Amino acid sequence: MNGIILKSPKILLFVVLILLMFMNCNETNKIKRIKLGHGLDTNHPVHKAMVFMAERIEKQSTGRIKIDIYSSQQLGSQRECLELLQLGSLGMTKVSSSVLESFAPEFEIFALPYLFRNDDHRFKVYEGKIGRDLLHGLVKYRLMGLGYYDAGNRSFYTRSKLIKSPEDMTGLKLRTQESAMAISLVNTLGGAATPISWGELYTSLQQGVVDGAENNLPSLYTSRHYEVCKYLSMDEHTSIPDVILISHLIWEKLSKNEKKIIQEAVDASVKYQKEIWQDETKFALKKIQDSGVKIIYPDKAAFIKKIEPIYRSYINKRGGSLLLQIKGVK
Ligand code: GCU
């Protein structure tokens, strides 16, 4: 039989063509599975937005691309997820821009306190040229930024002391994200910054390793830190976005159409997250209030005055050009 095939060039060509078609068919039918690891709880609005994104990708790719989401630091801390992304061992992640800072220093800008005038200003920066250029610039760090999820405003909460002004922060051990800018903010305000990963924070608060922390309302609620921290001071010092990323190594292997499907799904999920954020924030506030947390809205002027040196040292280190561009966004 083999002899007949080899002797007849036509039959040989036919067999080769069938084999090639079969291989090709297999390639197009192969399902691409991309793992996405992040640190938030499954009830968090940012997690919900990523589920929305994954469903959309699966639908638009008619089931050929599947995103498997691992929440709550199951695949490691945010920093570890970024390292795995650079190696191509993890496909996607969502991290706070604060954690991204030590990989891409340009992202420090978003940790500057009282950077934005209001919500509208913030969204214009994320969604406009400045935000996009920052995301695309990540390629030089072997990362690919796909979009920003809003993370509202961050405020301080503590176990046993109400922060009415920066003076009340003196000596308080406050958890920060693993970021130089976040550490400098707490120290400049008079506290003692203690960087701890998000996943370890509940236990650290419970055991009194730290006296408090800071975050937005949906994160304070979904992490259940309000069970331990009974004082919340809505000073709204920073608005630090979450960033959704894909490994550059994996991105480069995707077809043009696959890239389009993923980017469009991310964009739609960013819009969806923005829509649900307001309601989720109101819901979180109500739950936190109902649990007996004392909430105050302090005068922000004293905080704004006290953080001035952070701007001076930022400009010394990074120059003022990006800052001016952001301030100039109307
Ligand atoms: C927010 C943010 C997370 C971040 C967390 C933190 O919840 O959305 O990405 O991990 O703050 O303070 O660590």
Side-chain angles (χ1 to χ4, degrees):
M1 172 75 180
N2 279 352
I4 297 174
I5 291 177
L6 289 175
K7 270 181 212 147
S8 159
K10 273 197 185 149
I11 294 181
L12 184 62
L13 188 66
F14 181 72
V15 170
V16 168
L17 278 177
I18 294 283
L19 276 176
L20 280 177
M21 263 172 64
F22 182 71
M23 278 162 65
N24 203 24
C25 222
N26 247 359
E27 194 49 40
T28 32
N29 285 337
K30 219 158 100 188
I31 294 172
K32 287 200 172 114
R33 298 198 90 101
I34 301 181
K35 274 191 190 169
L36 186 164
H38 73 87
L40 295 171
D41 185 83
T42 50
N43 287 317
H44 197 285
V46 171
H47 173 85
K48 292 180 188 170
M50 289 186 281
V51 170
F52 177 103
M53 172 203 68
E55 285 170 359
R56 197 163 171 119
I57 291 177
E58 191 165 342
K59 183 159 175 253
Q60 296 303 107
S61 68
T62 54
R64 280 180 300 105
I65 312 177
K66 286 196 195 297
I67 312 289
D68 299 318
I69 305 180
Y70 296 82
S71 65
S72 318
Q73 287 198 193
Q74 288 172 69
L75 301 186
S77 68
Q78 301 184 74
R79 170 185 277 278
E80 285 161 348
C81 284
L82 281 173
E83 284 164 0
L84 291 173
L85 221 64
Q86 284 181 318
L87 297 172
S89 320
L90 177 64
M92 292 177 85
T93 191
K94 184 290 305 159
V95 297
S96 167
S97 147
S98 271
V99 179
L100 199 49
E101 265 173 37
S102 37
F103 293 75
E106 301 87 311
F107 277 79
E108 278 183 359
I109 190 92
F110 291 131
L112 282 173
Y114 303 106
L115 175 67
F116 300 111
R117 290 186 301 277
N118 48 37
D119 292 355
D120 188 48
H121 182 206
R122 180 166 90 239
F123 293 132
K124 281 190 176 142
V125 172
Y126 299 162
E127 289 158 19
K129 184 172 175 344
I130 301 178
R132 258 196 324 273
D133 285 354
L134 283 167
L135 291 179
H136 294 160
L138 285 168
V139 166
K140 57 178 177 293
Y141 308 107
R142 284 175 287 130
L143 297 167
M144 171 74 200
L146 296 172
Y148 299 92
Y149 290 123
D150 184 36
N153 305 307
R154 301 175 74 99
S155 293
F156 291 110
Y157 49 86
T158 66
R159 281 157 43 104
S160 51
K161 187 170 182 188
L162 196 51
I163 299 175
K164 296 192 205 94
S165 71
E167 282 63 56
D168 295 324
M169 291 174 65
T170 311
L172 278 188
K173 277 181 93 177
L174 296 170
R175 176 270 177 174
T176 67
Q177 297 207 68
E178 293 154 302
S179 124
M181 287 292 279
I183 293 172
S184 136
L185 171 73
V186 165
N187 290 340
T188 308
L189 286 169
T194 313
I196 296 175
S197 86
W198 183 240
E200 290 164 61
L201 184 51
Y202 187 94
T203 320
S204 305
L205 286 165
Q206 211 177 26
Q207 295 175 347
V209 175
V210 281
D211 302 307
E214 44 87 61
N215 221 312
N216 55 53
L217 294 171
S219 299
L220 170 56
Y221 172 60
T222 54
S223 62
R224 296 183 296 112
H225 293 168
Y226 66 91
E227 293 172 354
V228 187
C229 293
K230 293 296 176 193
Y231 298 91
L232 168 62
S233 173
M234 296 291 287
D235 66 301
E236 302 184 320
H237 47 266
T238 44
S239 314
I240 302 176
D242 274 347
V243 182
I244 174 140
L245 305 112
I246 188 163
S247 162
H248 186 239
L249 293 169
I250 292 177
W251 183 252
E252 284 310 306
K253 286 194 196 121
L254 296 174
S255 70
K256 213 169 148 203
N257 189 43
E258 289 169 333
K259 287 180 183 169
K260 189 165 165 264
I261 289 173
I262 293 179
Q263 187 62 64
E264 276 177 7
V266 168
D267 294 347
S269 72
V270 164
K271 210 164 152 251
Y272 169 76
Q273 189 254 349
K274 235 165 94 177
E275 281 161 19
I276 60 170
W277 184 264
Q278 297 303 335
D279 282 347
E280 298 262 358
T281 302
K282 277 189 212 140
F283 176 77
L285 180 62
K286 169 108 186 35
K287 289 286 187 187
I288 294 164
Q289 243 159 1
D290 290 352
S291 81
V293 172
K294 183 164 173 48
I295 306 173
I296 58 151
Y297 293 81
D299 181 5
K300 292 180 188 169
F303 291 88
I304 295 174
K305 180 97 197 72
K306 192 100 193 235
I307 53 87
E308 277 169 8
I310 297 184
Y311 274 81
R312 281 198 293 277
S313 73
Y314 173 83
I315 291 167
N316 278 340
K317 202 160 74 175
R318 306 253 164 251
S321 134
L322 186 55
L323 184 58
L324 274 179
Q325 283 178 50
I326 289 187
K327 293 286 179 190
V329 170
K330 292 281 171 286

